[in-house]
Amino acid sequence: MELVVTIVLVVIAMLTCAGTSVSSDDRLLVNMTVVRSTTVLGAYCLDGSLPAYHIHRGFGAGARNWLLQFEGGGWCNDIETCAERAKTRRGSTRLMNKFETFSGILSDNPVHNPDFYNWNRVKLRYCDGGSFAGDNKFDNGTLVLFFRGQRIWKAIIEDLLPKGMRFANKALLSGCSAGGLASYLHCNNFTTYLPNTTTVKCLGDAGFFMDSPDITMNHTQRTFFQHLVTLQGIEQNLDENCTTSITDPKQCIFPQYLLKYITPPVFILNSAYDVYQFHHILVPPSADPRGHWNHCKLNPKECLPNQISVLQAFRVEMLTALRSFVFYSRRGGGTFINSCFAHCQSESQDTWFAPDSPQLHNQTIAESVGDWYFGRNVSIKVDCPYPCDTTCHNLIGANEYE
């Protein structure tokens, strides 16, 4: 027994030191790479730890193609919540798992990820609380917090360029939740690091956060984002074409205002009943102090007729915000807007590409994204209203990303 334990420990140590990955039939664990040259850039996580990413190298025909995936995980928009966040894996790479599971769009299995399995696939760890977009610092002599998401983004990119990304033939910038928002915010900037010959496109998964009033007509999310932008110094990094064309430049953090200024082709993957937006934008706790929506939030089958009407109105509002993009996109845009109660659908194998994955027009999300990226077919798909879609998983609960 002791010999077996010793052998296992030696194998784990060898894998960790070598920075390699552990693979099985249905699970790929990829080791963390810490960016140690970031001190010159001042790129730090909230707690001052160094930024990090996970990379699984491409091979064969995909050896010169790159997929970058921003990790999600909500935001912090005041000193108190950011100080708490800095003590967790959401604010410190010291507290993160050193191996990360690659599945869905990050899988290396052609059966599970037919179009991107052999690309260089990179997951950017999220530790700044500001969708990789801030550039500020708080220091009151006792507490120090770094809001350096923009510098983290730059540091990771500059670490990847000499590893082959500077010669990329194709590139896809993606992300989930707050990472999906980051993919919109950084899409234009991503192209500046790559050759003019690189095919660059961007995918936002569950990142199309709406500037919508809640059920009490308060703009809860707008106020939240305004505080976030101010605290973390994000405004200076928002798209200048957007900020100079709108009354409140801070609103350019919302994709619905930014979208028309994004130059590369964009794919919008979102649920019309996105669980995070349902729970935090449409019906935040502050708008429902007596918990009338609690049962509906946990199970859409428990929603009352008037609650369903509110949800359907929210769906219409999202589709209205997307109307010009969906119907008049001139830059090769794509959409997969389904009617599932879910949040983030590209990193989970069940929702990305599996026998029972969500489908629109008989296509999974993976097939639709692949058709869009490679120009095989038009990929503009919008679902019918809930509850018509029988392929949904209705994955209620977005705690991982809050």
Side-chain angles (χ1 to χ4, degrees), residues 63-95:
R64 292 185 63 175
N65 300 335
W66 289 76
L67 189 157
L68 273 60
Q69 178 86 351
F70 286 113
E71 183 179 25
W75 311 269
C76 62
N77 72 342
D78 58 44
I79 297 302
E80 183 180 0
T81 56
C82 287
E84 288 303 311
R85 187 182 179 98
K87 301 173 186 176
T88 73
R89 66 185 178 92
R90 295 299 185 197
S92 175
T93 52
R94 298 187 187 104
L95 302 175

mmCIF file of all heavy atoms in Angstrom, residues 63-95:
data_model
loop_
_atom_site.group_PDB
_atom_site.id
_atom_site.type_symbol
_atom_site.label_atom_id
_atom_site.label_comp_id
_atom_site.label_asym_id
_atom_site.label_seq_id
_atom_site.Cartn_x
_atom_site.Cartn_y
_atom_site.Cartn_z
ATOM 1 N N ALA A 63 -2.334 23.684 -35.075
ATOM 2 C CA ALA A 63 -1.154 24.097 -34.317
ATOM 3 C C ALA A 63 -0.913 25.607 -34.343
ATOM 4 O O ALA A 63 -0.285 26.146 -33.426
ATOM 5 C CB ALA A 63 0.087 23.370 -34.843
ATOM 6 N N ARG A 64 -1.426 26.289 -35.359
ATOM 7 C CA ARG A 64 -1.220 27.741 -35.440
ATOM 8 C C ARG A 64 -2.535 28.508 -35.268
ATOM 9 O O ARG A 64 -2.649 29.666 -35.661
ATOM 10 C CB ARG A 64 -0.548 28.117 -36.769
ATOM 11 C CG ARG A 64 0.884 27.603 -36.860
ATOM 12 C CD ARG A 64 1.596 28.060 -38.119
ATOM 13 N NE ARG A 64 1.745 29.503 -38.179
ATOM 14 C CZ ARG A 64 2.423 30.140 -39.157
ATOM 15 N NH1 ARG A 64 2.989 29.440 -40.120
ATOM 16 N NH2 ARG A 64 2.509 31.448 -39.148
ATOM 17 N N ASN A 65 -3.497 27.862 -34.654
ATOM 18 C CA ASN A 65 -4.769 28.516 -34.337
ATOM 19 C C ASN A 65 -4.892 28.646 -32.822
ATOM 20 O O ASN A 65 -4.467 27.767 -32.075
ATOM 21 C CB ASN A 65 -5.948 27.709 -34.888
ATOM 22 C CG ASN A 65 -5.890 27.558 -36.396
ATOM 23 O OD1 ASN A 65 -5.291 28.377 -37.093
ATOM 24 N ND2 ASN A 65 -6.502 26.505 -36.922
ATOM 25 N N TRP A 66 -5.519 29.739 -32.363
ATOM 26 C CA TRP A 66 -5.553 30.035 -30.935
ATOM 27 C C TRP A 66 -6.964 30.390 -30.486
ATOM 28 O O TRP A 66 -7.641 31.217 -31.101
ATOM 29 C CB TRP A 66 -4.613 31.206 -30.615
ATOM 30 C CG TRP A 66 -3.168 30.822 -30.740
ATOM 31 C CD1 TRP A 66 -2.452 30.655 -31.892
ATOM 32 C CD2 TRP A 66 -2.282 30.522 -29.655
ATOM 33 N NE1 TRP A 66 -1.168 30.277 -31.597
ATOM 34 C CE2 TRP A 66 -1.030 30.187 -30.234
ATOM 35 C CE3 TRP A 66 -2.417 30.513 -28.267
ATOM 36 C CZ2 TRP A 66 0.072 29.842 -29.458
ATOM 37 C CZ3 TRP A 66 -1.331 30.173 -27.489
ATOM 38 C CH2 TRP A 66 -0.099 29.844 -28.087
ATOM 39 N N LEU A 67 -7.378 29.773 -29.376
ATOM 40 C CA LEU A 67 -8.652 30.080 -28.730
ATOM 41 C C LEU A 67 -8.357 30.531 -27.302
ATOM 42 O O LEU A 67 -7.768 29.785 -26.521
ATOM 43 C CB LEU A 67 -9.555 28.850 -28.722
ATOM 44 C CG LEU A 67 -11.012 29.030 -28.276
ATOM 45 C CD1 LEU A 67 -11.873 27.905 -28.851
ATOM 46 C CD2 LEU A 67 -11.174 29.065 -26.760
ATOM 47 N N LEU A 68 -8.748 31.758 -26.981
ATOM 48 C CA LEU A 68 -8.563 32.301 -25.641
ATOM 49 C C LEU A 68 -9.918 32.420 -24.974
ATOM 50 O O LEU A 68 -10.842 33.024 -25.542
ATOM 51 C CB LEU A 68 -7.885 33.673 -25.680
ATOM 52 C CG LEU A 68 -6.354 33.688 -25.705
ATOM 53 C CD1 LEU A 68 -5.807 32.954 -26.931
ATOM 54 C CD2 LEU A 68 -5.846 35.131 -25.693
ATOM 55 N N GLN A 69 -10.035 31.871 -23.771
ATOM 56 C CA GLN A 69 -11.312 31.842 -23.054
ATOM 57 C C GLN A 69 -11.167 32.585 -21.726
ATOM 58 O O GLN A 69 -10.446 32.156 -20.833
ATOM 59 C CB GLN A 69 -11.740 30.385 -22.807
ATOM 60 C CG GLN A 69 -13.035 30.219 -22.033
ATOM 61 C CD GLN A 69 -14.267 30.254 -22.916
ATOM 62 O OE1 GLN A 69 -14.179 30.560 -24.101
ATOM 63 N NE2 GLN A 69 -15.417 29.950 -22.350
ATOM 64 N N PHE A 70 -11.864 33.720 -21.598
ATOM 65 C CA PHE A 70 -11.894 34.444 -20.331
ATOM 66 C C PHE A 70 -12.738 33.676 -19.313
ATOM 67 O O PHE A 70 -13.885 33.325 -19.587
ATOM 68 C CB PHE A 70 -12.528 35.826 -20.505
ATOM 69 C CG PHE A 70 -11.678 36.850 -21.203
ATOM 70 C CD1 PHE A 70 -12.045 37.335 -22.454
ATOM 71 C CD2 PHE A 70 -10.543 37.362 -20.604
ATOM 72 C CE1 PHE A 70 -11.294 38.304 -23.091
ATOM 73 C CE2 PHE A 70 -9.776 38.329 -21.239
ATOM 74 C CZ PHE A 70 -10.150 38.801 -22.488
ATOM 75 N N GLU A 71 -12.189 33.470 -18.129
ATOM 76 C CA GLU A 71 -12.967 32.874 -17.049
ATOM 77 C C GLU A 71 -13.996 33.878 -16.531
ATOM 78 O O GLU A 71 -13.759 35.087 -16.517
ATOM 79 C CB GLU A 71 -12.037 32.460 -15.903
ATOM 80 C CG GLU A 71 -12.748 31.760 -14.764
ATOM 81 C CD GLU A 71 -11.804 31.345 -13.649
ATOM 82 O OE1 GLU A 71 -10.732 31.961 -13.502
ATOM 83 O OE2 GLU A 71 -12.144 30.405 -12.909
ATOM 84 N N GLY A 72 -15.153 33.385 -16.104
ATOM 85 C CA GLY A 72 -16.177 34.241 -15.522
ATOM 86 C C GLY A 72 -16.127 34.237 -14.007
ATOM 87 O O GLY A 72 -15.303 33.569 -13.394
ATOM 88 N N GLY A 73 -17.050 34.989 -13.391
ATOM 89 C CA GLY A 73 -17.082 35.009 -11.934
ATOM 90 C C GLY A 73 -17.594 36.283 -11.307
ATOM 91 O O GLY A 73 -17.164 36.639 -10.218
ATOM 92 N N GLY A 74 -18.516 36.997 -11.953
ATOM 93 C CA GLY A 74 -19.098 38.193 -11.347
ATOM 94 C C GLY A 74 -18.113 39.336 -11.206
ATOM 95 O O GLY A 74 -17.061 39.355 -11.835
ATOM 96 N N TRP A 75 -18.452 40.304 -10.329
ATOM 97 C CA TRP A 75 -17.643 41.503 -10.172
ATOM 98 C C TRP A 75 -17.691 41.959 -8.717
ATOM 99 O O TRP A 75 -18.538 41.532 -7.947
ATOM 100 C CB TRP A 75 -18.178 42.656 -11.043
ATOM 101 C CG TRP A 75 -18.453 42.291 -12.455
ATOM 102 C CD1 TRP A 75 -17.591 42.367 -13.512
ATOM 103 C CD2 TRP A 75 -19.690 41.805 -12.996
ATOM 104 N NE1 TRP A 75 -18.203 41.948 -14.663
ATOM 105 C CE2 TRP A 75 -19.490 41.591 -14.378
ATOM 106 C CE3 TRP A 75 -20.932 41.508 -12.441
ATOM 107 C CZ2 TRP A 75 -20.491 41.109 -15.221
ATOM 108 C CZ3 TRP A 75 -21.929 41.016 -13.264
ATOM 109 C CH2 TRP A 75 -21.708 40.832 -14.649
ATOM 110 N N CYS A 76 -16.814 42.876 -8.363
ATOM 111 C CA CYS A 76 -16.924 43.585 -7.083
ATOM 112 C C CYS A 76 -16.843 45.074 -7.387
ATOM 113 O O CYS A 76 -15.987 45.516 -8.156
ATOM 114 C CB CYS A 76 -15.837 43.158 -6.100
ATOM 115 S SG CYS A 76 -14.129 43.486 -6.602
ATOM 116 N N ASN A 77 -17.741 45.846 -6.802
ATOM 117 C CA ASN A 77 -17.828 47.260 -7.169
ATOM 118 C C ASN A 77 -17.715 48.220 -5.990
ATOM 119 O O ASN A 77 -18.050 49.395 -6.104
ATOM 120 C CB ASN A 77 -19.129 47.529 -7.943
ATOM 121 C CG ASN A 77 -20.363 47.470 -7.055
ATOM 122 O OD1 ASN A 77 -20.325 46.918 -5.948
ATOM 123 N ND2 ASN A 77 -21.453 48.058 -7.525
ATOM 124 N N ASP A 78 -17.249 47.718 -4.830
ATOM 125 C CA ASP A 78 -16.940 48.602 -3.713
ATOM 126 C C ASP A 78 -15.799 47.982 -2.910
ATOM 127 O O ASP A 78 -15.456 46.813 -3.092
ATOM 128 C CB ASP A 78 -18.174 48.867 -2.832
ATOM 129 C CG ASP A 78 -18.804 47.607 -2.264
ATOM 130 O OD1 ASP A 78 -18.056 46.708 -1.789
ATOM 131 O OD2 ASP A 78 -20.042 47.498 -2.281
ATOM 132 N N ILE A 79 -15.222 48.774 -2.037
ATOM 133 C CA ILE A 79 -14.034 48.315 -1.308
ATOM 134 C C ILE A 79 -14.338 47.109 -0.438
ATOM 135 O O ILE A 79 -13.552 46.149 -0.374
ATOM 136 C CB ILE A 79 -13.459 49.464 -0.443
ATOM 137 C CG1 ILE A 79 -12.994 50.620 -1.350
ATOM 138 C CG2 ILE A 79 -12.294 48.969 0.404
ATOM 139 C CD1 ILE A 79 -11.947 50.227 -2.367
ATOM 140 N N GLU A 80 -15.481 47.103 0.203
ATOM 141 C CA GLU A 80 -15.824 46.003 1.100
ATOM 142 C C GLU A 80 -15.911 44.670 0.366
ATOM 143 O O GLU A 80 -15.306 43.670 0.775
ATOM 144 C CB GLU A 80 -17.148 46.297 1.815
ATOM 145 C CG GLU A 80 -17.538 45.225 2.819
ATOM 146 C CD GLU A 80 -18.853 45.520 3.526
ATOM 147 O OE1 GLU A 80 -19.468 46.562 3.232
ATOM 148 O OE2 GLU A 80 -19.270 44.697 4.365
ATOM 149 N N THR A 81 -16.669 44.646 -0.740
ATOM 150 C CA THR A 81 -16.837 43.378 -1.452
ATOM 151 C C THR A 81 -15.540 42.968 -2.161
ATOM 152 O O THR A 81 -15.249 41.769 -2.278
ATOM 153 C CB THR A 81 -17.979 43.460 -2.474
ATOM 154 O OG1 THR A 81 -17.739 44.545 -3.387
ATOM 155 C CG2 THR A 81 -19.305 43.671 -1.768
ATOM 156 N N CYS A 82 -14.760 43.946 -2.611
ATOM 157 C CA CYS A 82 -13.490 43.614 -3.261
ATOM 158 C C CYS A 82 -12.481 43.075 -2.246
ATOM 159 O O CYS A 82 -11.688 42.170 -2.552
ATOM 160 C CB CYS A 82 -12.914 44.830 -3.981
ATOM 161 S SG CYS A 82 -13.802 45.281 -5.493
ATOM 162 N N ALA A 83 -12.507 43.610 -1.026
ATOM 163 C CA ALA A 83 -11.610 43.114 0.024
ATOM 164 C C ALA A 83 -11.950 41.673 0.381
ATOM 165 O O ALA A 83 -11.055 40.847 0.609
ATOM 166 C CB ALA A 83 -11.702 44.009 1.257
ATOM 167 N N GLU A 84 -13.246 41.359 0.417
ATOM 168 C CA GLU A 84 -13.660 39.981 0.675
ATOM 169 C C GLU A 84 -13.291 39.069 -0.489
ATOM 170 O O GLU A 84 -12.838 37.940 -0.301
ATOM 171 C CB GLU A 84 -15.169 39.931 0.940
ATOM 172 C CG GLU A 84 -15.585 40.508 2.275
ATOM 173 C CD GLU A 84 -14.894 39.814 3.446
ATOM 174 O OE1 GLU A 84 -14.898 38.561 3.472
ATOM 175 O OE2 GLU A 84 -14.341 40.508 4.317
ATOM 176 N N ARG A 85 -13.489 39.572 -1.675
ATOM 177 C CA ARG A 85 -13.179 38.787 -2.877
ATOM 178 C C ARG A 85 -11.682 38.471 -2.958
ATOM 179 O O ARG A 85 -11.296 37.402 -3.419
ATOM 180 C CB ARG A 85 -13.621 39.573 -4.120
ATOM 181 C CG ARG A 85 -13.518 38.817 -5.433
ATOM 182 C CD ARG A 85 -13.950 39.723 -6.575
ATOM 183 N NE ARG A 85 -13.856 39.061 -7.861
ATOM 184 C CZ ARG A 85 -14.861 38.488 -8.513
ATOM 185 N NH1 ARG A 85 -16.064 38.491 -7.982
ATOM 186 N NH2 ARG A 85 -14.680 37.920 -9.694
ATOM 187 N N ALA A 86 -10.853 39.398 -2.503
ATOM 188 C CA ALA A 86 -9.403 39.206 -2.544
ATOM 189 C C ALA A 86 -8.943 38.032 -1.684
ATOM 190 O O ALA A 86 -7.839 37.524 -1.858
ATOM 191 C CB ALA A 86 -8.696 40.487 -2.099
ATOM 192 N N LYS A 87 -9.813 37.592 -0.772
ATOM 193 C CA LYS A 87 -9.482 36.465 0.102
ATOM 194 C C LYS A 87 -9.976 35.137 -0.460
ATOM 195 O O LYS A 87 -9.925 34.113 0.207
ATOM 196 C CB LYS A 87 -10.106 36.681 1.483
ATOM 197 C CG LYS A 87 -9.653 37.957 2.189
ATOM 198 C CD LYS A 87 -10.451 38.171 3.464
ATOM 199 C CE LYS A 87 -10.122 39.501 4.126
ATOM 200 N NZ LYS A 87 -10.972 39.745 5.328
ATOM 201 N N THR A 88 -10.458 35.154 -1.703
ATOM 202 C CA THR A 88 -11.004 33.955 -2.332
ATOM 203 C C THR A 88 -10.311 33.695 -3.659
ATOM 204 O O THR A 88 -9.506 34.492 -4.132
ATOM 205 C CB THR A 88 -12.517 34.116 -2.592
ATOM 206 O OG1 THR A 88 -12.713 35.025 -3.694
ATOM 207 C CG2 THR A 88 -13.229 34.661 -1.358
ATOM 208 N N ARG A 89 -10.679 32.585 -4.291
ATOM 209 C CA ARG A 89 -10.108 32.240 -5.598
ATOM 210 C C ARG A 89 -10.521 33.228 -6.673
ATOM 211 O O ARG A 89 -9.935 33.253 -7.747
ATOM 212 C CB ARG A 89 -10.533 30.820 -5.994
ATOM 213 C CG ARG A 89 -12.026 30.660 -6.255
ATOM 214 C CD ARG A 89 -12.383 29.202 -6.520
ATOM 215 N NE ARG A 89 -13.818 29.003 -6.720
ATOM 216 C CZ ARG A 89 -14.415 29.033 -7.894
ATOM 217 N NH1 ARG A 89 -13.716 29.269 -8.989
ATOM 218 N NH2 ARG A 89 -15.719 28.838 -7.993
ATOM 219 N N ARG A 90 -11.532 34.060 -6.391
ATOM 220 C CA ARG A 90 -11.960 35.059 -7.360
ATOM 221 C C ARG A 90 -11.080 36.308 -7.328
ATOM 222 O O ARG A 90 -11.226 37.186 -8.166
ATOM 223 C CB ARG A 90 -13.420 35.461 -7.108
ATOM 224 C CG ARG A 90 -14.431 34.361 -7.328
ATOM 225 C CD ARG A 90 -14.420 33.869 -8.736
ATOM 226 N NE ARG A 90 -15.481 32.889 -8.993
ATOM 227 C CZ ARG A 90 -15.494 32.080 -10.024
ATOM 228 N NH1 ARG A 90 -14.496 32.106 -10.891
ATOM 229 N NH2 ARG A 90 -16.481 31.218 -10.198
ATOM 230 N N GLY A 91 -10.169 36.375 -6.348
ATOM 231 C CA GLY A 91 -9.323 37.555 -6.257
ATOM 232 C C GLY A 91 -7.858 37.249 -6.056
ATOM 233 O O GLY A 91 -7.054 38.161 -5.870
ATOM 234 N N SER A 92 -7.518 35.959 -6.094
ATOM 235 C CA SER A 92 -6.135 35.572 -5.831
ATOM 236 C C SER A 92 -5.800 34.267 -6.528
ATOM 237 O O SER A 92 -6.486 33.259 -6.334
ATOM 238 C CB SER A 92 -5.906 35.410 -4.324
ATOM 239 O OG SER A 92 -4.606 34.918 -4.068
ATOM 240 N N THR A 93 -4.734 34.271 -7.326
ATOM 241 C CA THR A 93 -4.304 33.023 -7.958
ATOM 242 C C THR A 93 -3.679 32.078 -6.935
ATOM 243 O O THR A 93 -3.576 30.874 -7.184
ATOM 244 C CB THR A 93 -3.294 33.301 -9.084
ATOM 245 O OG1 THR A 93 -2.226 34.127 -8.591
ATOM 246 C CG2 THR A 93 -3.960 33.999 -10.256
ATOM 247 N N ARG A 94 -3.276 32.607 -5.781
ATOM 248 C CA ARG A 94 -2.726 31.744 -4.733
ATOM 249 C C ARG A 94 -3.773 30.766 -4.211
ATOM 250 O O ARG A 94 -3.433 29.701 -3.693
ATOM 251 C CB ARG A 94 -2.215 32.593 -3.560
ATOM 252 C CG ARG A 94 -1.076 33.548 -3.897
ATOM 253 C CD ARG A 94 -0.536 34.204 -2.639
ATOM 254 N NE ARG A 94 0.437 35.255 -2.926
ATOM 255 C CZ ARG A 94 0.198 36.554 -2.848
ATOM 256 N NH1 ARG A 94 -1.011 36.974 -2.471
ATOM 257 N NH2 ARG A 94 1.138 37.433 -3.129
ATOM 258 N N LEU A 95 -5.051 31.146 -4.328
ATOM 259 C CA LEU A 95 -6.130 30.345 -3.763
ATOM 260 C C LEU A 95 -6.864 29.521 -4.814
ATOM 261 O O LEU A 95 -7.852 28.862 -4.501
ATOM 262 C CB LEU A 95 -7.122 31.260 -3.035
ATOM 263 C CG LEU A 95 -6.510 32.101 -1.908
ATOM 264 C CD1 LEU A 95 -7.550 33.067 -1.341
ATOM 265 C CD2 LEU A 95 -5.954 31.210 -0.803
#
